[in-house]
Amino acid sequence: MPGLTIGDTLPNLEVETTCGKFMLHDFVGQEWVIIFSHPGDFTPVCTTELAKVAAYTERFEERGVKLLGLSCGDIQSHNNWIKDIESYSGGCKVKFPIIADPKREIIKELNMVDPDEKDATGKQVPSRALHVVSGDKKIKLSIQYPATIGRNVDEILRVVDALQKTVNHKVATPVNWKPGEPVVIHPGVSNNQAKEMFPQGYSTAELPSGNDYLRFTNV
């Protein structure tokens, strides 16, 4: 689906949320932000997702990440729904704002529409879309799930850790990487440069090609 994606600038939209009105760029500031959409208030998968995000809020805060939800209900509906979310979460509070988008305008601007799902009135609903935005207001990562599949919040934490790791170092994260595991050195870094950048050392996998591009280090 064409629209907002990795590398694009987040539109500076004015949004109404459960924590008041603001411009998206003002909310981002110089920090990392995760904007994530939900097909609807008082729906089963959305309730489980938001309950888990509420439970993980401190983990995101430890990483300097702010959270911003979105659903197509209005503010009153959101506030009533939050009571259910907090109850299901075992008492974890929803401390982050949730955007109200009853006219379905913001989901189009943010490329968060599920083309295959409609609500009871026949209107399109949001996909389970997620954008990770950095302080330069650029989309650094974008994930789209259909409305019928719940997201894995542990995976969202993992990709945030990976993004922050690769922003701070000339590295990439290999398959199934988890925090604390070795990373690979960016192929644009020569061996001489790698010795300077990674004084702790690195190991090179021996491959049939004889090329030394697969270099692992810890940062």
Side-chain angles (χ1 to χ4, degrees), residues 142-210:
S142 185
I143 304 173
Q144 293 242 24
Y145 283 63
T148 52
I149 299 175
R151 287 161 286 201
N152 186 317
V153 181
D154 286 309
E155 170 62 6
I156 297 169
L157 271 179
R158 188 191 77 88
V159 297
V160 166
D161 286 332
L163 281 170
Q164 293 182 340
K165 182 80 69 176
T166 58
V167 163
N168 294 324
H169 305 278
K170 280 281 190 178
V171 299
T173 56
V175 63
N176 291 344
W177 176 85
K178 297 181 181 66
E181 295 180 349
V183 294
V184 292
I185 298 173
H186 193 282
V189 175
S190 70
N191 287 336
N192 286 335
Q193 290 172 325
K195 291 175 183 177
E196 296 180 4
M197 291 181 180
F198 309 103
Q200 70 274 28
Y202 63 89
S203 61
T204 304
E206 294 185 6
L207 301 170
S209 67

Side-chain angles (χ1 to χ4, degrees), residues 42-197:
F42 302 103
T43 53
V45 178
C46 299
T47 300
T48 63
E49 283 190 328
L50 278 169
K52 182 61 70 173
V53 172
Y56 275 45
T57 298
E58 289 187 5
R59 300 191 193 186
F60 286 106
E61 290 175 346
E62 289 168 359
R63 292 159 170 80
V65 177
K66 296 193 289 190
L67 300 165
L68 179 58
L70 182 154
S71 184
C72 285
D74 58 28
I75 295 299
Q76 182 177 350
S77 176
H78 285 0
N79 285 329
N80 289 333
W81 182 33
I82 284 172
K83 298 173 185 176
D84 285 359
I85 295 165
E86 292 179 343
S87 174
Y88 181 75
S89 72
C92 296
K93 297 298 183 182
V94 176
K95 300 178 181 178
F96 50 86
I98 302 175
I99 296 170
D101 188 24
K103 295 182 179 179
R104 270 75 166 174
E105 294 173 347
I106 297 171
I107 60 171
K108 295 175 184 177
E109 291 282 348
L110 298 182
N111 191 22
M112 291 177 157
V113 177
D114 187 330
D116 297 324
E117 290 290 325
K118 293 180 173 57
D119 64 16
T121 66
K123 294 180 180 179
Q124 285 186 311
V125 299
S127 59
R128 296 188 191 284
L130 180 148
H131 299 310
V132 180
V133 184
S134 63
D136 62 2
K137 316 301 186 295
K138 299 284 187 181
I139 306 295
K140 300 301 183 184
L141 180 139
S142 185
I143 304 173
Q144 293 242 24
Y145 283 63
T148 52
I149 299 175
R151 287 161 286 201
N152 186 317
V153 181
D154 286 309
E155 170 62 6
I156 297 169
L157 271 179
R158 188 191 77 88
V159 297
V160 166
D161 286 332
L163 281 170
Q164 293 182 340
K165 182 80 69 176
T166 58
V167 163
N168 294 324
H169 305 278
K170 280 281 190 178
V171 299
T173 56
V175 63
N176 291 344
W177 176 85
K178 297 181 181 66
E181 295 180 349
V183 294
V184 292
I185 298 173
H186 193 282
V189 175
S190 70
N191 287 336
N192 286 335
Q193 290 172 325
K195 291 175 183 177
E196 296 180 4
M197 291 181 180

Side-chain angles (χ1 to χ4, degrees), residues 13 22 170 199:
L13 306 175
F22 50 75
K170 280 281 190 178

Side-chain angles (χ1 to χ4, degrees), residues 16 24 39 191:
E16 184 176 8
L24 286 181
N191 287 336

